[in-house]
Amino acid sequence: MAIISVQNIKKSFSDGVQVLKDISFDVEQGEILGIIGPSGSGKSTMLRCIAQLETIDDGSIYVCGSPIVTKGLYASKNELRQIGLNLGFVFQNFNLFPHMSVLQNIIDAQIHVLKTPKSEAIEIARKLLADVGLSEKENAYPCELSGGQQQRVSIARSLALKPKVLLFDEPTSALDPELTGEILAVIKKLALEKMTMIVVTHEMAFARDISDKIIFMADGLIVEQGEPKELINNPKTERLQDFLKRFKQ
């Protein structure tokens, strides 16, 4: 059974623009799905719909076999809250609490959402900070960190809630090129640990190297999907060929 199943979802914005047009795909346990495509293609909106940050107009979304929404009808608030605990979301712009230290950012949701004892939450946070190479920054505040460091804290914060799936919304788009490698290294490490992930990215080589499957979206549609090296090195559709011309392989 797929850990994420998206079936025929559709979404329009209030101005009538249809941003998602009958999108369907599955993600299996331990699989990494890369999602590429031009700006405005619906990639981030689709990811936000899975994370319950946006609602859909029609279609179904299942997480770990439980329905978030079935043919446009959403589950109850309590059910949505429980299902949401299976998902971690890493934003483009970090979304750390500026008034909290790095350690506080990571333990806050553990204590208040999972009801983890503070001492245990701190232990988990420190292990995760070590995993992302930021042990020495636990007492720093977000404003004292580089963009790459803030994004690594954001990843650690998501992992602290022990999600079954991590959703990355262009995790390197707000970073200078020299900092991008820090985040890609962390995601590659998670890939080796068989973490299930959906990664929206503009890093073509990264998407090709890390993903088990890639979806190319344009104009609210899945235009092409398949095995990463084949899809990126030998695109079948003219739309994908034109898109890839902008990137050096």
Side-chain angles (χ1 to χ4, degrees), residues 146-238:
S146 70
Q149 289 171 333
Q150 289 186 62
Q151 191 62 294
R152 282 187 277 161
V153 173
S154 179
I155 294 171
R157 181 180 60 181
S158 292
L159 289 170
L161 296 180
K162 301 178 182 177
K164 292 189 170 61
V165 183
L166 270 184
L167 309 175
F168 290 88
D169 185 13
E170 298 185 14
T172 62
S173 66
L175 302 178
D176 294 332
E178 62 267 25
L179 299 177
T180 294
E182 297 179 15
I183 306 309
L184 300 186
V186 172
I187 297 175
K188 285 181 178 178
K189 182 178 179 182
L190 291 171
L192 291 173
E193 296 168 359
K194 297 300 181 182
M195 183 75 195
T196 307
M197 294 183 277
I198 302 177
V199 184
V200 172
T201 182
H202 281 113
E203 301 286 336
M204 293 303 105
F206 174 69
R208 179 186 59 202
D209 294 343
I210 198 174
S211 303
D212 296 299
K213 180 172 63 180
I214 288 180
I215 285 173
F216 170 64
M217 290 182 64
D219 304 316
L221 294 165
I222 294 177
V223 176
E224 196 168 336
Q225 59 184 307
E227 191 273 332
K229 290 183 174 60
E230 178 66 20
L231 184 139
I232 290 183
N233 294 337
N234 298 294
K236 294 180 174 61
T237 61
E238 185 177 350

